[in-house]
Structures are given as structure tokens and as C-alpha cells.
Amino acid sequence: MKPKVNDRFDNDAPIDEVMQSLDENGYAVVENVLPHETVDALLSEMEPWIEATPFGPDAFAGQRTKRTGSLVARSATARDLIVHPLCKGVARRVLKSSTEFQLSQTQLISAYPGSVSQKLHKDELVWDFFPFAVDHHVMCQFFWALTDFTEENGATRVAPGSDAIDPDDLREEDTIPVEMSKGSVFIFNGKVVHGGGTNRSDQVRQGLILSYCAGWVRQEENQYLVAPPELARTFSEDVLKMIGYQQGCFAMGYAGDIEEPMDVLFGRKAATPIVPSDATRTAANERAQRWSLDVAERTV
């Protein structure tokens, strides 16, 4: 398979151009977004955690691969990265059918020499293999290259334009390697068929997955255990909203007596309880907007 449209962009490319590739190919590569100093700082912060991470238990997780999580708690650099304008801008566009979106997962992947290729798959299978409509996206992912990604060291392989194709109908020959330099990012939706490649080099390939999802689905990584209230209170409100301390849609995720999660977290008492329909007034979902307006007209 070949990309349907251009799939590679400079770091100053307009989001509209990046979105064209995501819409047509299911992915895009934006090159040289992060300075090497930022990447090195993140790896330095995570080094002890990577060292302590065991190898995966099976071929899919990678028996020569380490998958280190909890980056929200463990890395200040990662906290800045989850609210990077590129992440927020693209994720908002991909997840446009949802009122809010949130961080689903952080995972620093270290693929050691000998790590074998993954079974081709779609990442939205994590939601119990639910058959989401092909035009309804609940996931957007950013795979940041912390080292150079090459075909030799097992760069992710992707099947361009495969959103509507069953992974079992594709073979590795139908995919292309996502080669990119340190500091670049591979952005892809939850439907495009892909899989990690085989690391035939003598170097460890490292990358950071930041996954975002619709505000109404469960996060893949439990961010409330990663960042319980006593730790979460030390984060910026921008980060807190991103990790889930906000309403996800109509009435999803409130706390206390129908209160905003952020108010409960910080012990703030609002003058009145929140009105669940408030969360739908600016929703991308037109049905939610109409519902909200109808409720407002009935309020006395």
C-alpha cells in the first residue's frame, strides 16, 4: 500500500494539511517537532523507571520490549508534552464528534535488539473489540520518536488508508515502515492497521505513546491511580483537565452533589450545582446541542 496523499510534514505545517493525511491515510508524520534537549530531558527523568520495567509477557507486548507507564506522575517533561499545542489541536479535530477529549495512555516503549514484529492490529480494540462505525473516532495517538526510527530497528509499520479494512486481511507486505528522526512524531487514529516492526539492529529503539480518547470512554491507563488527588493538586489545571479531572460530556464524570470535578478536587464550593446540560451547549455532537437547547427552554 502507498499513502493516498502526502503523509509527511514540517513542524510548521498547518493543522489543516496534517488533517488531510489523517483523513485519507489514517496517520501523518510531523518531523523535528521536539528539540533533542527536550527528548533527552524526558529520557533522563524516566531512566530509573525504564530500568525497573520488566520485559513484556508475550509476543504482542514484546518479550524483548519494555513498556513503561505513569509518565504523568514520573516526568515533568511528559506533563508539558501532553498539553503540547500539536497534540491538543490535532486530537480535538480527530475526536470532533465528542464534547471533550482526554488523555488515555502514556507509555514509553523501549524495543531492544531482537524484539519481534507485532500482530497487525487497530488500537481501538482496547474497548472490548467494540465495532465503532468506520467514520466515528474515539482515539487519536501520538508516537514521539525518542531515538531515530528506522526499518532496521523496528520502526512501526502502517497500512495507509486501512481504516475500513480488517487487520486479518493484511500482511506485513501491505505495510510501510514509519521511519523518522528523533524528536519527530507519528500521529495516527485508532482504526488504521499497524504494528511494531522487528528490531534487527544492535540499538534500543525508544518512543513515547501519548494516546487521547473521547471524554465518554474509559481511559486505557488509570490516570486517577497514576495521579491521585494529593499529587494531582500540584499540577496545572490544563494538565488536570487533560488527564480526566473534568466532565467528559453531558453528565459523565461529575463529582459530589453534581459538582465540577475540579471544584471537588480543590475543595471549592460553587454557588450552585452544575447543570449537566451546560456541558453539551458547545458539544460537537449536534444532537447534544439540540437536546441542551430544548432543556434550557423548559427551565423556569
Side-chain angles (χ1 to χ4, degrees):
M1 287 185 171
K2 293 182 178 180
K4 297 179 179 180
V5 297
N6 178 44
D7 62 349
R8 288 184 174 268
F9 304 90
D10 294 332
N11 57 24
D12 59 352
I15 285 182
D16 283 346
E17 293 183 10
V18 176
M19 285 304 305
Q20 185 178 4
S21 181
L22 277 158
D23 291 340
E24 297 291 330
N25 299 319
Y27 72 93
V29 176
V30 184
E31 299 179 303
N32 303 312
V33 179
L34 298 180
H36 285 195
E37 293 79 7
T38 300
V39 174
D40 293 342
L42 191 151
L43 284 171
S44 177
E45 291 165 358
M46 291 301 299
E47 184 176 5
W49 305 104
I50 297 169
E51 181 68 25
T53 302
F55 287 113
D58 55 34
F60 188 79
Q63 292 170 312
R64 291 289 299 158
T65 298
K66 294 185 175 185
R67 297 176 180 271
T68 308
S70 298
L71 273 83
V72 167
R74 294 169 170 175
S75 168
T77 303
R79 288 195 292 275
D80 290 339
L81 193 53
I82 68 171
V83 291
H84 190 285
L86 180 63
C87 294
K88 293 174 67 175
V90 173
R92 174 69 283 171
R93 295 279 291 272
V94 173
L95 303 173
K96 62 186 178 182
S97 62
S98 299
T99 301
E100 296 289 354
F101 68 96
Q102 61 189 340
L103 183 74
S104 181
Q105 179 199 45
T106 65
Q107 191 174 92
L108 199 160
I109 300 174
S110 302
Y112 285 71
S115 180
V116 299
S117 62
Q118 282 184 309
K119 175 181 172 64
L120 294 176
H121 63 283
K122 300 184 178 193
D123 278 351
E124 70 177 22
L125 62 80
V126 298
W127 287 291
D128 213 10
F129 293 86
F130 185 83
F132 294 105
V134 71
D135 62 346
H136 188 95
H137 292 285
V138 294
M139 172 185 273
C140 179
Q141 306 204 87
F142 297 76
F143 198 1
W144 295 92
L146 306 182
T147 61
D148 291 344
F149 277 35
T150 67
E151 184 169 13
E152 184 185 17
N153 71 17
T156 302
R157 303 190 66 90
V158 65
S162 56
D163 288 20
I165 300 176
D166 188 325
D168 291 339
D169 293 335
L170 296 175
R171 300 168 299 172
E172 188 170 298
E173 304 91 269
D174 300 312
T175 66
I176 59 175
V178 182
E179 296 186 299
M180 57 182 174
S181 60
K182 176 179 176 178
S184 301
V185 61
F186 168 49
I187 309 170
F188 58 108
N189 66 41
K191 299 180 184 298
V192 72
V193 178
H194 69 286
T198 297
N199 187 347
R200 298 183 174 89
S201 76
D202 59 0
Q203 303 293 319
V204 180
R205 176 178 57 83
Q206 291 183 293
L208 171 62
I209 283 279
L210 295 182
S211 178
Y212 300 80
C213 64
W216 54 270
V217 296
R218 183 169 183 174
Q219 294 152 293
E220 187 171 358
E221 182 181 34
N222 191 316
Q223 300 299 333
Y224 307 106
L225 287 180
V226 170
E230 60 272 17
L231 176 60
R233 292 187 189 100
T234 68
F235 299 162
S236 70
E237 292 205 5
D238 198 18
V239 169
L240 288 173
K241 288 178 180 178
M242 193 59 72
I243 65 175
Y245 282 90
Q246 66 174 338
Q247 269 193 282
C249 58
F250 164 58
M252 188 70 67
Y254 72 81
D257 302 323
I258 321 181
E259 298 169 84
E260 287 284 1
M262 203 80 71
D263 289 339
V264 173
L265 178 66
F266 288 107
R268 303 188 298 234
K269 194 67 178 177
T272 59
I274 61 170
V275 179
S277 56
D278 282 349
T280 68
R281 295 211 170 111
T282 58
N285 186 309
E286 292 183 5
R287 183 180 181 188
Q289 291 180 10
R290 291 197 302 271
W291 196 95
S292 176
L293 290 171
D294 182 58
V295 169
E297 289 173 356
R298 295 167 186 264
T299 302
V300 295

